Amino acid sequence: MTMVEPAKLTRAEATARLTGPGGDFEIVRETIRGVEVKVWKNAPRSLRDVLAGSAAHGDQTFLVYEGEHLSFARHLRAVAAFANVLRERYGVAKGDRVAIAMRNYPEWSIAFWGAAAIGAIVVPLNAWWKGAELEYGLSDSGSKFLIADEQRFDELRDRYQSLPLAGVAVARARGDLPRGIERFEDLFASGSGDVDLPAVEIEPEDDATIFYTSGTTGLPKGALGTHRNICSNLTSLEFLGKQRELRLGLVPPAEPPKLASLLSVPFFHVTGCHSTLVPALKLGSKVVLVYKFVPEQVVELIERERITSFGGVPSIAWQVLEAANFGKHDLSSVLRIGYGGAPAAPDLVRRLNQTFPNVALSNGYGLTESSSVTSSNAGDDYLRKPTSVGPPVPVCELKVVDDDGRELPLGEAGELWIKGPNIIKGYWNKPEATAKTITDGWLHSGDVARLDDEGFIHLVDRKKDIVIRGGENVYCVEVEAALCEHPEVLDAAVFGIPHRVLGEEVAAAVKVRNGSTLDADELREHAAARLARFKVPVKITIRQEDLPRNPNGKILKRELREEMVRSAVVE
């Protein structure tokens, strides 16, 4: 009998097969909060349903940290034990807020799923925040219970008693704790045996999480996400994987490879939580956590733990490629490298494709307010259009509008608006901010973009990051891409600095390869060969250390701008 290879499908054909009536990823329309949107018909109804399904993975390894291994079964028992303690001892009910202030420890996952399973609203706080910022997040969210690691608790030692917390637990505490403060491990120690989850009914539109925005201007806002938001993102990621198989004509093996993700971004960011932790629990994937991202150690971990996927932001991929021990370890287990959150230079795509010729590369786009993924560009599409973040996932609708909210013709640049089941309800207790950001279900992304004739998104810039030089708009991402085309440049940030006559001038900070002798004049000449003269940075600082970023992977341009302006004053 002759085996027939399955035919490769186009993107449109694969999408139609998967999303049509009766398909595994069938799309239907529902009215949510008065707005008709596309939804995944077969998406899980809640995070609790996702958690319950993890029992099928049994004794497979779920979380790895510094030599520690936690199986799916042990994780589920610990989660159930903690969920019961929250309900019975501390009276945490559906809709109450439970905050987590912790670095990427396995305990973060136990805290998250334990609270989510009883319908509490999980509030992941930024682990980089200091005491006053953590206090703000707890106060603003009205959290009833806090789980912190020792470092975050130390930041709050003089503050937590003024907050209306019913309880505080500290994970991995090495020293003595104040009276009334629990060791987090004690709250799920009873999970050594079978413990049932408390009985709670959770609906798709019930509130699930409050993720605070990065707060680059003003106080952070709490993005209020629902169970549908997060489960829609989960299903979108699963859809993208199946779509890829159909487009490549792949036949899933009888025994799929054991998946293992290296997590290099925080759980308190939607990429780490919604797009890594949640899918891993659903699919039975191992997640390897690192205390700190050190490229050489990461290369060793990829070999030791047989990592099948890694990524985060583009700089992560660059650092792995540039690691001193790269090429000295077996990285053949890697199947996927994906990133988002920042523009990726075309040279990075070329380098990765040359170095990992059989690996699926992808770049994605999304926001906290879109519950992570809005679009994805992968495989041949990515090689064909390396400067695009791809087309939207099928449940997301897009439009590009002018300053008055009028839709622009195809190909014109304007603000990108997004509608779908992944768009948050709004900002916690901030109706005015919500009304400014969401109109009739459409999220104002704040990103300037254009759509091409295939529906691919091409980001032009953050709306607020445009440099206006003598009345001319300079889109920073265009200049950054040109700078990154230089073979010595690994990362670039472009921003405006004050100018007495022009208002602003274009400036840049770039990271170069170790040992590079590239100077600013040479780099300006390189840019001038690719850009109009008014777009070429008048001032460039060259450095070999990483550009500063916030926990979401965004470059802190304001910090770089202030540093450059100060140095100019001194000079």
Side-chain angles (χ1 to χ4, degrees), residues 11 31 40 47 49 58 64 134 137 142 183 229 247 284 293 314 339 353 376-377 414 420 434 448 454 477 488 514 565:
R11 188 175 68 255
T31 299
W40 298 113
L47 289 172
D49 289 350
V64 177
L134 292 168
R183 293 183 183 275
N229 290 159
R247 293 189 66 189
F293 186 86
Y339 42 77
N353 191 50
S376 177
N377 195 9
T434 300
V448 178
E454 294 184 78
V477 71
E488 295 297 308
N514 289 335
V565 170

Side-chain angles (χ1 to χ4, degrees), residues 124-136:
L125 297 177
N126 190 319
W128 289 14
W129 279 357
K130 297 298 183 182
E133 295 164 310
L134 292 168
E135 182 181 17
Y136 164 79

Side-chain angles (χ1 to χ4, degrees), residues 353-371:
N353 191 50
Q354 291 167 1
T355 310
F356 297 96
N358 299 315
V359 168
L361 303 179
S362 66
N363 189 13
Y365 169 73
L367 307 91
T368 301
E369 292 86 346
S370 69
S371 310

Side-chain angles (χ1 to χ4, degrees), residues 503-515:
E504 284 185 304
E505 270 282 33
V506 183
V510 302
K511 177 188 176 182
V512 297
R513 300 179 189 279
N514 289 335

